[in-house]
């Protein structure tokens, strides 16, 4: 045995002796690997505004006069031992990127969770406070500051609740509560658009049971996707569901309400027997791809209803399916987590000089009074868009939780896009959370841009370039490819 080999053997003996000493003393060694452990925590944070604030989601502005049910930021934190991520769903119509970026920065400062590992979305309730200026509703700066703080509080409290957990996911279907709201009509039955054009080939929300109805211009997505975490003892910690339904409504015009999203959360908690437990169970219902989907059956009139009645009907139906899925789940002790995001630049459809001049003439005739007609309201939007940049930057985000894929897009995404992502994704199942990490208006497909209709009419609610959808889908697939 040569001298060099003797030196190697002696070094190995010394190392083995040191490892044995550490093991006997209970001290960790530098080359031992911690066991793979999965943990989760959840919390809610009340984001209900004061009375008197502007309510978003309508052509005309409304001031809140009553709180029917409280609004919340519902927060879930997951940790696989290497990666920590947070998912937050807010009872809000839409939230601009600058508010969410500020909340993420505060969360990172307080908890150490990286800002790029945080997904924050709005449900799209149309009975929540205005956070983004659209049509005649403008945001309140004090509420925006309050919202930043409360979102960060919620995630910090979720981190405080983190404990070892098991995770599972599954998909069910509830096809009876979703309807495509864009319809092809008989020739000559579609009115002019607010810009004076007569090229629309579809109408959003046509009269129910109209003899002029031909067929819906697109499909639906009936999936009820479920992600659940529970303690090692089997106690529910949180359940995140995803369903592609715009909102339900049937709410008095000056009420604050979380719509069916909040009703779902309350009901699933009771069905799981988790009400009153400590730490509190947290349910979250994120909006899927519902830019062209609502809860109106245009072939059949609905009987007269009391306020909130339809919200309860829809919530009950979706909850029953989510609960059925939950009962079939196989929980796992550990799965890998991943988060990836990228910023993409997309063009803005800005008005030309002729369009701008027409809009200014319409507003001049209104002479400062409240705007009433779509022509007047879109004239104001045209004037406001003239100062928009030629391009805007969007965050496109993807998450993996084991073999579950989640995408996040800052738009009101058409259902066709969500179905395309599900079909192309290497992760099965996959779902998309819309209105996430910002707000950039409707996202129709290029084909739907050619059909026209409300969701394509240029405004702060719809301004991205006509080819935005395929670029966003391409970015999503690029992010998923990082894990394959």
């Amino acid at each position: 045995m040569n001298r060099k080999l003797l030196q190697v053997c002696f070094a190995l003996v010394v190392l083995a002796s040191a490892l044995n000493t550490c093991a006997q003393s209970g001290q960790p060694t530098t080359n031992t690997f911690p066991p793979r452990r999965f943990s989760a925590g959840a919390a809610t944070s009340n984001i209900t505004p004061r009375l008197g604030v502007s309510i978003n989601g309508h052509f005309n502005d409304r001031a809140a006069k009553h709180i029917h049910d409280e609004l919340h930021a519902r927060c879930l934190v997951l940790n696989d031992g290497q990666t920590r991520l947070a998912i937050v769903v807010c009872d809000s119509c839409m939230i601009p990127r600058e508010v969410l970026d500020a909340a993420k920065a505060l969360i990172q400062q307080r908890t150490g969770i990286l800002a790029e590992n945080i997904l924050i979305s709005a449900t799209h309730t149309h009975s929540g406070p205005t956070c983004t200026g659209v049509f005649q509703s403008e945001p309140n700066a004090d509420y925006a500051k309050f919202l930043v703080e409360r979102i960060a509080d919620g995630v910090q409290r979720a981190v405080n609740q983190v404990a070892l957990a098991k995770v599972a996911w599954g998909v069910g279907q509830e096809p009876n509560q979703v309807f495509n709201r864009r319809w092809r009509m008989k020739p000559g039955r579609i009115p002019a658009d607010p810009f004076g054009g007569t090229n629309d080939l579809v109408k959003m929300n046509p009269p129910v049971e109209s003899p002029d109805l031909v067929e819906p211009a697109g499909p639906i997505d009936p999936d009820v996707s479920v992600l659940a975490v529970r303690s090692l003892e089997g106690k529910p910690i949180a359940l995140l569901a995803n369903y592609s339904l715009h909102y339900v409504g049937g709410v008095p015009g000056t009420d604050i309400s979380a719509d069916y999203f909040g009703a779902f959360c309350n009901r699933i908690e009771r069905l799981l027997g988790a009400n009153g437990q400590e730490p509190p169970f947290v349910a979250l219902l994120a909006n899927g791809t519902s830019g062209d989907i609502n809860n109106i059956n245009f072939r059949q009139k609905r009987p007269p209803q009391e306020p909130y009645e339809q919200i309860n009907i829809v919530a009950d139906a979706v909850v029953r399916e989510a609960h059925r899925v939950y009962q079939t789940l196989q929980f796992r002790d550990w799965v890998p987590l991943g988060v990836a995001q990228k910023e993409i630049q997309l063009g803005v459809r800005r008005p030309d000089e002729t369009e701008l001049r027409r809009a200014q003439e319409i507003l001049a005739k209104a002479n400062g009074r409240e705007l009433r007609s779509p022509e007047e309201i879109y004239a104001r939007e045209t004037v406001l868009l003239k100062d928009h940049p030629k391009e805007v930057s969007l965050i496109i985000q993807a998450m993996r939780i084991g073999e579950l894929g989640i995408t996040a897009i800052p738009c009101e995404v058409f259902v066709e896009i969500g179905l395309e992502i599900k079909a192309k994704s290497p992760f099965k199942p996959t779902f998309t959370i819309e209105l996430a990490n910002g707000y950039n208006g409707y996202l129709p497909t290029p084909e739907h841009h050619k059909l026209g209709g409300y969701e394509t009419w240029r405004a702060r609610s719809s301004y991205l370039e006509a080819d935005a959808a395929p670029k966003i889908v391409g970015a999503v697939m690029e992010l998923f490819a990082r894990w394959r």
Side-chain angles (χ1 to χ4, degrees):
M1 187 177 293
N2 59 40
R3 183 174 180 180
K4 188 172 184 179
L5 185 57
L6 283 171
Q7 290 174 332
V8 171
C9 291
F10 178 76
L12 290 173
V13 170
V14 171
L15 177 60
S17 176
L19 290 173
N20 185 55
T21 300
C22 288
Q24 290 176 355
S25 66
Q27 297 175 355
T29 60
T30 56
N31 63 340
T32 58
F33 296 95
R36 299 192 303 185
R37 292 184 175 179
F38 192 88
S39 57
T44 63
S45 190
N46 194 307
I47 59 171
T48 307
R50 62 170 177 80
L51 292 179
V53 301
S54 167
I55 294 177
N56 220 347
H58 310 277
F59 276 165
N60 61 316
D61 191 38
R62 305 176 185 187
K65 295 181 179 179
H66 179 64
I67 309 293
H68 176 269
D69 50 280
E70 303 286 337
L71 308 184
H72 294 89
R74 303 173 185 274
C75 311
L76 173 62
V77 171
L78 303 177
N79 187 347
D80 69 353
Q82 291 186 326
T83 299
R84 287 198 301 165
L85 61 83
I87 298 173
V88 182
V89 178
C90 299
D91 293 323
S92 182
C93 192
M94 43 244 187
I95 308 175
R97 177 174 173 178
E98 55 266 26
V99 171
L100 299 183
D101 280 353
K104 291 178 183 181
L106 190 55
I107 291 167
Q108 179 171 323
Q109 175 187 331
R110 291 183 181 179
T111 70
I113 299 175
L114 298 178
E116 57 264 33
N117 285 12
I118 302 168
L119 186 164
I120 309 175
S121 74
T123 60
H124 206 51
T125 174
H126 275 43
S127 44
T130 301
C131 296
T132 300
V134 177
F135 302 128
Q136 297 186 82
S137 297
E138 298 299 332
N140 178 282
D142 290 338
Y143 181 75
K145 182 179 178 181
F146 166 78
L147 185 59
V148 168
E149 294 279 352
R150 295 303 287 149
I151 291 172
D153 287 349
V155 176
Q156 186 173 357
R157 291 175 56 222
V159 169
N160 294 342
Q161 306 282 23
V162 166
L164 293 179
K166 295 184 178 182
V167 62
W169 54 86
V171 182
Q173 292 199 331
E174 174 43 76
N176 300 311
Q177 303 303 328
V178 283
F179 303 88
N180 200 292
R181 70 181 192 177
R182 286 165 58 84
W183 277 75
R184 299 179 187 274
M185 309 291 285
K186 289 181 180 179
R189 305 310 297 170
I190 297 177
D193 66 32
F195 311 102
T198 57
N199 296 320
D200 283 355
L201 300 176
V202 298
K203 179 171 176 54
M204 184 268 285
N205 288 350
V208 176
E209 291 187 349
S210 169
D212 298 322
L213 296 175
V214 176
E215 63 181 0
I220 61 169
D221 181 354
D223 284 358
V224 179
S225 300
V226 173
L227 169 68
V229 287
R230 69 185 188 189
S231 70
L232 300 186
E233 297 76 31
K235 184 167 67 174
I237 295 174
L239 182 147
L240 166 66
N242 179 266
Y243 191 53
S244 294
L245 173 58
H246 213 66
Y247 71 105
V248 174
V251 174
T254 56
D255 275 16
I256 291 291
S257 172
D259 204 275
Y260 97 104
F261 306 97
F264 170 94
C265 294
N266 295 335
R267 283 161 169 74
I268 194 67
E269 179 179 353
R270 291 198 296 269
L271 267 183
L272 294 177
N275 45 317
Q277 76 175 30
E278 186 63 36
F281 167 81
V282 175
L284 311 85
L285 177 58
N287 210 327
T289 50
S290 65
D292 48 351
I293 303 296
N294 67 13
N295 184 238
I296 301 172
N297 181 353
F298 294 95
R299 292 292 193 190
Q300 183 177 359
K301 283 186 178 179
R302 188 181 294 161
Q305 293 176 304
E306 294 296 320
Y308 298 98
E309 184 176 347
Q310 187 64 18
I311 281 175
N312 293 327
I313 290 171
V314 176
D316 285 341
V318 180
V319 161
R320 284 194 298 271
E321 183 62 4
H323 185 249
R324 185 196 66 78
V325 172
Y326 184 88
Q327 292 174 310
T328 69
L329 298 180
Q330 300 295 314
F331 284 82
R332 310 181 192 189
D333 295 321
W334 185 88
V335 297
L337 300 177
V339 187
Q341 72 174 40
K342 67 177 297 185
E343 295 208 21
I344 63 173
Q345 300 293 317
L346 294 175
V348 172
R349 291 180 286 130
R350 298 195 303 176
D352 61 29
E353 288 301 320
T354 300
E355 293 166 330
L356 184 60
R357 188 162 49 250
R358 175 183 180 273
Q360 290 168 335
E361 291 171 357
I362 292 170
L363 292 178
K365 292 177 182 177
N367 197 27
R369 62 165 169 77
E370 181 182 4
L371 306 179
R372 302 188 187 100
S373 69
E375 183 181 53
E376 292 173 341
I377 291 166
Y378 276 87
R380 178 173 182 263
E381 291 293 308
T382 296
V383 171
L384 291 172
L385 278 174
K386 74 178 176 62
D387 295 323
H388 263 48
K390 293 181 179 179
E391 289 188 337
V392 290
S393 179
L394 285 71
I395 294 177
I396 307 301
Q397 189 179 51
M399 291 183 171
R400 67 165 299 186
I401 300 169
E403 290 304 307
L404 169 67
I406 300 175
T407 68
I409 300 174
C411 303
E412 298 182 63
V413 184
F414 270 36
V415 70
E416 291 88 343
I417 299 165
L419 293 171
E420 180 183 0
I421 289 173
K422 288 182 177 183
K424 290 182 175 180
S425 172
F427 292 92
K428 306 297 180 186
T430 289
F431 62 81
T432 296
I433 297 177
E434 70 174 15
L435 295 168
N437 303 318
Y439 175 69
N440 295 96
Y442 278 100
L443 185 66
T445 64
E447 293 75 19
H448 274 284
H449 269 287
K450 294 174 184 176
L451 295 177
Y454 163 77
E455 297 88 349
T456 71
W457 295 345
R458 188 191 58 237
R460 289 177 295 171
S461 59
S462 179
Y463 61 82
L464 294 178
E465 62 176 278
D467 290 326
K471 294 179 180 180
I472 288 175
V473 172
V476 166
M477 293 305 122
E478 179 184 323
L479 294 175
F480 276 149
R482 298 182 185 182
W483 298 309
R484 282 295 186 258

